[in-house]
């Protein structure tokens, strides 16, 4: 699903440039539940932005769903994002003046789906994340956990190939973190590829595979031993 | 453009973000309102001046005779100058292409009787050309014709107020007036923008009076209009030359101001025209200033709006909005708001002018109004300015990488 070879990325800082990713090789298959771990500055967010087509890479090869990503203009990137990717952000990034259901329906609007269908699909996903009765509330009337669940519903609404979550629990307490992670696990069990970035060990351990990043290189990539929790 | 879903998005953005909608709307509405009011008041001043000079044709020339004040060529001062028919002929032959309308005039104040009613009126014996000279407008019937002059018909065209004085609410057409013992048939009633005095005149054919109240070839004064193709300077040069030639013809000292007096309205027109031009320039200057202030205002607000929405735009981009749809959304929103606000500013301005119109008359502001095309033009200018002002930051916002936009706080 995601295939990355010798990926490099640097950011210009004044006259110098900061080399953030120094040759990343990563292969994520369909249906995997992967966590990228690393301290801040390790390059994990940059990696997610590149994978999420929110940013471009300098060198190397990136294939998404078999398609080589290079020289994308904004319009093509937008279309690919809409079609293949769902995003979950640490700060939720809901549009403040839209209700929960309108937020979920927004990516469908950019897909060109009709209004009634959008509403129906959005309601279906809100129900899935357990917020059906909160559908007509504005984000500032929802708790942090509820906001993030709206964001999850929004990420799922277009039935993407990959869900990218950037510190999805970073702004949540441990209880709501847990419920959001359960949600992500459910999604994964249904066959969705889920790609989580986190610096929390206990969050990473709920996934199937942990890739550790340090100073722009992968230092370990291992399967999680599922000690079955009752 | 007419995508209903898109308009729904825009209406939602407009109605859920009242502050910024109000800000941009207010700027435009206020600019257009000011523009309309200033232009309206300026036009009101203009109308006042136009009305002051509306009584007679702007290109009139009147020639009167009097007594000489200087001895000349052995002739004594105090000699009376009498215009005759050959003076009419002389002027028409010398300046055939400079003259538009021409009429000699014999004028008497006379007692006029109709049945029980009587009054004293100024009766003028003229050519049909006198009608445009006075800017008289025929309300009923007709004015004098050259056939009347040829036949020396005993007919009259009377002013609206003469009819009202003598006939009340009845029509005067076809009735006979007794003017100092002679019966004249009323053939027409006219009104005159020059005011009440001008509507109390009675006109009769020149030939009817000449011979009856004046010796056979004598006349009182001459009225004419110069060819409107002449500009003000040419018209003044024409009347100066005419004065000089008439003085020569009647053996009058060129410096004698009393014997032959030529009054050319072009001289007044010239002063009024320069005054009006200054007024126009001031109005234009203020109008353009207001518009520029409006343009700067809307540009600032558009920059602020796009800045404020950067994060929202980043979210939209992450969810699959193309740069084109972002730019389109912002621009349609801005066009919609500016057009609507511009229109309301325009309407408020027009209605304010209508409401205040009457009460401003004592400040020399008459019928303050704005030509539709001027305000509509100004509104369009502001809408276009708002669009361009919105386009530049929108374009920039759309080209920001979504990741940068998302991190914008």
């Amino acid at each position: 699903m995601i295939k990355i070879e010798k990926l490099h990325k640097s950011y210009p800082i004044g006259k110098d440039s900061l080399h953030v990713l120094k040759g990343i090789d990563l292969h994520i298959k369909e249906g995997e539940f992967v966590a990228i771990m690393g301290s801040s500055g390790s390059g994990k967010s940059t990696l997610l932005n590149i994978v999420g087509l929110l940013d471009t890479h300098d060198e190397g090869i990136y294939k998404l769903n078999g398609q080589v990503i290079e020289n994308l203009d904004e319009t093509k990137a937008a279309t690919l994002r809409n079609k293949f990717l769902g995003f979950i952000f640490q700060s939720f990034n809901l549009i403040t003046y839209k209700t929960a259901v309108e937020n979920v329906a927004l990516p469908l609007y950019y897909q060109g789906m009709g209004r009634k269908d959008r509403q129906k699909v959005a309601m279906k996903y809100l129900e899935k994340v357990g917020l059906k009765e909160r559908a007509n509330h504005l984000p500032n009337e929802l708790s942090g956990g509820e906001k993030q669940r709206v964001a999850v519903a929004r990420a799922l609404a277009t039935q993407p190939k990959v869900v990218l979550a950037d510190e999805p629990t970073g702004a949540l307490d441990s209880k709501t973190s847990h419920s959001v992670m359960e949600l992500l696990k459910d999604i994964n069990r249904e066959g969705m590829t889920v790609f989580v970035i986190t610096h929390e060990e206990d969050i990473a351990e709920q996934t199937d595979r942990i890739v550790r990043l340090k100073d722009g290189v992968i230092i370990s990539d291992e399967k999680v031993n599922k000690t079955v929790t009752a | 453009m007419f995508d209903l879903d898109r308009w729904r998005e825009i209406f939602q953005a407009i109605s859920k973000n009242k502050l910024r909608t109000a800000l941009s709307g207010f700027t435009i509405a206020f600019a257009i309102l000011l523009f309309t009011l200033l232009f309206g008041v300026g036009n009101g001043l203009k109308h006042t001046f136009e009305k002051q000079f509306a009584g007679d044709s702007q290109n009139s020339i009147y020639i009167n005779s009097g007594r000489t004040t200087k001895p000349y060529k052995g002739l004594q001062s105090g000699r009376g100058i009498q215009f005759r028919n050959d003076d009419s002929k002389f002027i028409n032959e010398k300046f055939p292409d400079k003259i538009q309308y021409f009429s000699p005039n014999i004028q008497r104040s006379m007692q006029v009787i109709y049945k029980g009613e009587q009054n004293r009126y100024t009766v003028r014996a003229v050519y049909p050309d006198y009608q445009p000279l006075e800017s008289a407008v025929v309300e009923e019937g007709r004015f004098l014709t050259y056939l009347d002059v040829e036949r020396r018909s005993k007919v009259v065209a009377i002013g609206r107020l003469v009819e009202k004085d003598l006939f009340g609410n009845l029509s005067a057409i076809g009735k006979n007036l007794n003017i100092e013992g002679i019966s004249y048939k009323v053939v027409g009633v006219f009104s005159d923008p020059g005011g009440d005095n001008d509507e109390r005149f009675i006109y009769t054919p020149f030939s009817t009076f000449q011979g009856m109240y004046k010796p056979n070839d004598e006349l009182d004064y001459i009225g004419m209009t110069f060819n409107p193709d002449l500009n003000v300077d040419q018209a003044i040069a024409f009347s100066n030359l005419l004065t000089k030639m008439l003085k020569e013809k009647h053996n009058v000292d060129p410096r004698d101001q009393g014997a032959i007096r030529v009054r050319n309205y072009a001289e007044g027109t010239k002063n009024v025209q320069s005054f009006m031009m200054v007024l126009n320039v001031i109005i234009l200057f203020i109008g353009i200033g207001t518009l520029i202030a409006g343009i700067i205002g809307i540009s600032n607000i558009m920059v602020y709006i796009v800045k404020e929405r950067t994060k929202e735009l980043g979210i939209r981009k992450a969810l699959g909005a193309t740069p084109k749809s972002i730019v389109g959304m912002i621009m349609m929103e801005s066009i919609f708001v500016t057009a609507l606000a511009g229109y309301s500013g325009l309407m408020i301005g027009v209605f304010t002018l209508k409401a205040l119109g009457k009460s401003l008359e004592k400040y020399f502001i008459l019928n303050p109004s704005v030509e539709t095309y001027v305000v509509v033009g100004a509104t369009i200018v502001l809408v276009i300015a708002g669009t361009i002002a919105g386009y530049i930051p929108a374009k920039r916002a759309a080209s920001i990488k979504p990741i940068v936009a998302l991190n914008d706080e």
Side-chain angles (χ1 to χ4, degrees):
Chain A
M1 179 54 53
I2 292 172
K3 197 164 180 152
I4 288 169
E5 281 169 21
K6 299 191 181 64
L7 193 80
H8 286 264
K9 175 73 184 176
S10 41
Y11 288 109
I13 295 175
K15 279 180 188 166
D16 303 322
S17 73
L18 183 66
H19 203 171
V20 182
L21 296 180
K22 303 164 182 168
I24 303 280
D25 291 293
L26 185 64
H27 187 193
I28 297 171
K29 289 194 273 299
E30 191 162 357
E32 274 196 286
F33 193 3
V34 184
I36 307 284
M37 281 209 67
S39 54
S40 64
S42 60
K44 60 186 192 308
S45 284
T46 306
L47 179 61
L48 178 116
N49 291 334
I50 290 170
V51 170
L53 305 175
L54 296 173
D55 206 346
T56 53
H57 57 280
D58 299 335
E59 266 176 59
I61 296 165
Y62 168 31
K63 277 189 195 167
L64 173 65
N65 200 34
Q67 186 174 353
V68 179
I69 305 298
E70 56 184 359
N71 300 328
L72 275 191
D73 63 28
E74 280 282 355
T75 308
K76 271 190 206 144
T79 313
L80 285 178
R81 277 198 293 272
N82 188 265
K83 210 162 151 190
F84 293 127
L85 303 169
F87 290 92
I88 301 166
F89 301 96
Q90 179 176 1
S91 51
F92 323 126
N93 282 337
L94 300 176
I95 291 177
T96 50
Y97 62 83
K98 284 183 179 287
T99 61
V101 67
E102 285 168 347
N103 265 290
V104 177
L106 192 59
L108 300 170
Y109 163 70
Y110 285 115
Q111 226 170 36
M113 188 185 280
R115 188 174 144 82
K116 286 214 177 90
D117 292 341
R118 289 206 302 266
Q119 185 80 7
K120 219 157 63 189
V121 173
M123 281 310 284
K124 190 179 97 185
Y125 282 96
L126 272 182
E127 193 174 2
K128 193 182 172 81
V129 299
L131 287 175
K132 195 183 172 190
E133 67 286 354
R134 309 285 275 165
N136 293 314
H137 287 257
L138 289 172
N140 59 15
E141 296 163 343
L142 301 172
S143 72
E146 286 173 329
K147 281 187 215 173
Q148 198 57 300
R149 285 192 299 185
V150 172
V152 171
R154 181 177 68 182
L156 297 175
T158 54
Q159 295 179 285
K161 296 277 184 193
V162 182
V163 168
L164 300 168
D166 184 8
E167 303 271 11
T169 60
L172 304 176
D173 60 40
S174 58
K175 194 165 164 259
T176 44
S177 292
H178 184 73
S179 73
V180 168
M181 282 312 289
E182 285 303 318
L183 201 54
L184 290 179
K185 278 192 247 176
D186 284 345
I187 296 161
N188 175 247
R189 266 195 290 270
E190 288 166 18
M192 183 88 71
T193 313
V194 181
F195 191 100
V196 182
I197 280 193
T198 182
H199 64 277
E200 289 169 85
E201 201 69 45
D202 57 329
I203 295 295
E205 269 168 14
Q206 298 182 50
T207 67
D208 298 338
R209 177 180 164 193
I210 300 178
V211 177
R212 288 173 202 276
L213 233 69
K214 195 180 179 188
D215 296 332
V217 289
I218 292 174
I219 51 170
S220 76
D221 182 353
E222 54 203 10
K223 290 260 189 279
V224 175
N225 287 326
K226 287 281 173 179
T227 48
V228 180
T229 46
Chain B
M1 188 75 189
F2 296 104
D3 181 347
L4 191 63
D5 261 357
R6 190 163 207 190
W7 281 110
R8 274 209 187 89
E9 277 293 307
I10 287 164
F11 283 134
Q12 188 181 38
I14 290 172
S15 57
K16 294 286 174 68
N17 297 280
K18 291 200 175 64
L19 176 68
R20 72 168 186 240
T21 308
L23 271 176
S24 48
F26 181 77
T27 313
I28 293 290
F30 197 66
I32 291 292
L33 175 63
L34 273 184
F35 181 86
T36 312
L37 290 181
L38 284 170
F39 245 79
V41 167
N43 279 339
L45 275 178
K46 260 166 71 178
H47 293 154
T48 304
F49 280 94
E50 271 162 13
K51 193 179 180 229
Q52 299 289 319
F53 295 91
D56 296 300
S57 275
Q58 298 289 302
N59 55 344
S60 304
I61 297 175
Y62 289 95
I63 308 169
N64 290 281
S65 61
R67 292 186 177 279
T68 57
T69 56
K70 288 182 167 64
Y72 188 63
K73 287 188 177 168
L75 295 162
Q76 283 184 346
S77 68
R79 178 173 57 98
I81 301 293
Q82 177 62 55
F83 285 148
R84 292 169 198 280
N85 287 353
D86 73 323
D87 288 300
S88 292
K89 209 173 139 207
F90 172 78
I91 295 168
N92 275 302
E93 277 170 1
K94 289 284 180 196
F95 303 101
D97 57 335
K98 297 274 200 302
I99 295 169
Q100 185 190 24
Y101 299 115
F102 184 94
S103 172
N105 186 311
I106 295 168
Q107 184 170 312
R108 289 283 177 282
S109 173
M110 301 172 104
Q111 195 69 18
V112 181
I113 307 171
Y114 176 74
K115 292 189 176 164
E117 303 289 331
Q118 59 171 311
N119 208 342
R120 188 159 275 277
Y121 296 101
T122 301
V123 183
R124 286 171 164 177
V126 294
Y127 283 180
D129 267 8
Y130 210 82
Q131 185 196 350
L133 262 162
E134 272 289 334
S135 309
V137 180
V138 172
E139 296 288 317
E140 212 185 332
R142 60 172 178 88
F143 202 72
L144 307 174
T145 63
Y146 279 100
L147 199 64
D148 295 330
V149 177
E150 213 175 281
R151 291 182 177 167
R152 314 184 84 177
S153 312
K154 293 202 171 49
V155 294
V156 285
I158 62 175
R160 193 175 58 82
L161 293 178
V162 177
E163 184 187 39
K164 208 176 155 201
D165 292 348
L166 298 180
F167 294 87
N169 290 324
L170 300 173
S171 168
I173 302 292
K175 308 275 168 35
N176 287 310
L177 286 182
N178 178 340
I179 301 177
E180 303 205 335
I182 296 167
S183 180
Y184 294 80
K185 190 177 176 190
V186 179
V187 293
V189 177
F190 63 88
S191 62
D192 192 311
D196 287 3
N197 282 341
D198 285 4
E199 291 186 333
R200 286 216 157 84
F201 286 130
I202 293 175
Y203 291 104
T204 194
F206 178 71
S207 52
T208 309
F209 265 27
Q210 202 179 37
M212 189 148 62
Y213 296 105
K214 267 273 193 199
N216 253 334
D217 62 345
E218 291 185 5
L219 54 97
D220 285 344
Y221 67 93
I222 291 166
M224 61 173 152
T225 60
F226 59 81
N227 186 338
D229 293 341
L230 300 182
N231 66 32
V232 171
D233 291 324
Q234 285 169 329
I236 291 172
F238 160 57
S239 62
N240 287 343
L241 180 62
L242 178 65
T243 314
K244 190 169 161 252
M245 288 170 78
L246 282 175
K247 282 178 179 173
E248 258 170 42
K249 183 167 180 290
H250 289 274
N251 291 319
V252 174
D253 189 315
R255 290 162 300 166
D256 190 332
Q257 299 296 326
I260 291 175
R261 299 185 302 273
V262 175
R263 190 155 49 100
N264 189 344
Y265 279 41
E267 284 169 33
T269 308
K270 193 174 182 178
N271 294 337
V272 175
Q273 273 178 353
S274 17
F275 181 78
M276 296 284 263
M277 207 180 75
V278 172
L279 201 63
N280 272 333
V281 168
I282 292 172
I283 293 170
L284 201 71
F285 191 74
I286 293 173
I288 290 173
T290 318
L291 273 191
I292 290 176
I295 290 170
I296 293 171
I298 191 66
S299 311
N300 276 332
I301 285 163
M302 284 316 293
V303 171
Y304 159 77
I305 285 175
V306 172
K307 180 88 193 133
E308 189 213 42
R309 294 183 81 174
T310 304
K311 194 182 173 83
E312 182 201 327
L313 300 180
I315 297 170
R316 286 177 181 272
K317 288 183 83 171
L319 298 180
T322 58
K324 219 169 102 185
S325 76
I326 297 273
V327 173
M329 180 178 73
I330 291 179
M331 302 235 311
M332 272 163 77
E333 193 184 313
S334 101
I335 292 172
F336 181 78
V337 171
T338 50
L340 199 70
Y343 184 74
S344 28
L346 169 71
M347 282 296 132
I348 295 170
V350 168
F351 283 116
T352 310
L353 286 179
K354 270 229 168 80
L356 290 181
K358 280 277 168 217
S359 60
L360 289 176
E361 266 174 30
K362 58 173 177 275
Y363 302 108
F364 301 107
I365 294 163
L366 181 71
N367 182 22
S369 59
V370 202
E371 297 87 344
T372 314
Y373 74 92
V374 173
V375 252
V376 169
T379 311
I380 290 172
V381 165
L382 275 192
V383 170
I384 291 173
T387 311
I388 296 170
Y391 178 76
I392 295 165
K395 186 88 185 152
R396 197 182 318 141
S399 64
I400 296 176
K401 283 183 178 161
I403 192 66
V404 178
L406 281 172
N407 290 332
D408 185 79
E409 289 303 335

